[in-house]
């Protein structure tokens, strides 16, 4: 059969979204749940990668995106905090990113993946909180982990997609 010189979309490998080192940098438009849309379609603006924010800004930006039903995009904010934040907080931000991805999968109707990532993220946040002894950046760690476990059980019972906006967690205790 031989090697193919083009992708399944009829584009050459050189025309694919790659950076100068050949790593994927997918510029394909995406919907609010991060699903790829056809090229040329107007999608939801992507979160810029590699943004360094103060932790409070990361929490506020992620909450806004979660409230808008865009957990995939909130995950990207958490991922930036995870990669750019202090070493001692990386597991917290990684766990929060997993929670956002879990909500993304649950909203897409992926019962197994959604429940698994919600529980994995809750466990990571709980483990981090056990060693921290404080509530960082105003995040309600106990509330967020309870939300994740409850939603994981709900997803498994219901089996269908959840409304990401309606089921968004409250990252901070209301003041």
């Amino acid at each position: 059969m031989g090697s193919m010189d083009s992708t399944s979309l009829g584009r050459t490998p050189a025309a694919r979204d790659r950076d100068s080192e050949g790593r994927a940098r997918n510029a394909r438009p995406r919907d609010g749940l991060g699903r790829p849309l056809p090229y040329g379609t107007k999608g939801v603006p992507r979160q810029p990668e590699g943004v360094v924010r103060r932790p409070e800004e990361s929490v506020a930006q992620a909450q806004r995106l979660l409230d808008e039903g865009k957990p995939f995009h909130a995950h990207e904010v958490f991922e930036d905090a995870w990669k750019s934040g202090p070493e001692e907080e990386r597991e917290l931000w990684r766990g929060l990113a997993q929670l956002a991805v879990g909500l993304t999968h649950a909203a897409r109707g992926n019962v197994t993946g959604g429940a698994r990532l919600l529980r994995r993220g809750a466990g990571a946040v709980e483990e981090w909180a056990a060693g921290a002894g404080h509530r960082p950046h105003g995040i309600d760690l106990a509330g967020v982990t309870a939300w994740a476990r409850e939603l994981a059980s709900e997803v498994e019972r219901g089996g269908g997609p959840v409304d990401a906006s309606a089921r968004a967690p409250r990252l901070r205790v209301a003041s």
Side-chain angles (χ1 to χ4, degrees):
M1 190 169 185
S3 69
M4 298 182 74
D5 290 329
S6 65
T7 67
S8 61
L9 296 175
R11 296 181 316 150
T12 64
R16 296 178 68 202
D17 303 321
R18 302 282 174 175
D19 66 13
S20 62
E21 296 175 10
R23 289 186 302 262
R25 294 288 183 235
N26 195 340
R28 190 170 174 183
R30 295 189 177 263
D31 70 6
L33 293 175
R35 292 176 290 220
L37 298 170
Y39 285 96
T41 303
K42 183 171 170 57
V44 172
R46 309 252 332 240
Q47 291 299 302
E49 291 183 40
V51 176
V52 177
R53 301 172 183 87
R54 289 180 310 121
E56 294 76 14
E57 292 171 326
S58 293
V59 174
Q61 177 73 358
Q63 186 68 68
R64 182 184 65 76
L65 291 163
L66 289 164
D67 291 345
E68 292 175 1
K70 300 174 186 170
F72 176 82
H73 302 279
H75 133 269
E76 292 177 333
V77 171
F78 288 136
E79 191 171 275
D80 283 340
W82 159 23
K83 292 178 178 178
S84 68
E87 182 68 36
E88 63 272 8
E89 290 187 3
R90 289 205 174 146
E91 290 305 306
L92 166 66
W93 296 110
R94 185 180 64 83
L96 292 170
Q98 289 174 329
L99 293 175
V101 174
L103 178 56
T104 299
H105 282 287
R108 291 176 177 176
N110 177 352
V111 172
T112 303
R116 183 175 292 143
L117 279 162
L118 286 163
R119 287 194 177 99
R120 184 181 303 153
V125 169
E126 267 181 345
E127 186 175 327
W128 185 87
H134 70 285
R135 184 169 63 194
H137 319 298
I139 302 171
D140 178 9
L141 300 177
V144 169
T145 56
W147 162 85
R149 284 188 164 63
E150 178 183 317
L151 183 57
S153 294
E154 179 183 314
V155 166
E156 288 175 329
R157 283 191 309 273
V162 300
D163 180 329
S165 178
R167 293 301 312 196
R170 306 285 4 119
L171 298 174
R172 292 185 172 140
V173 177
S175 44

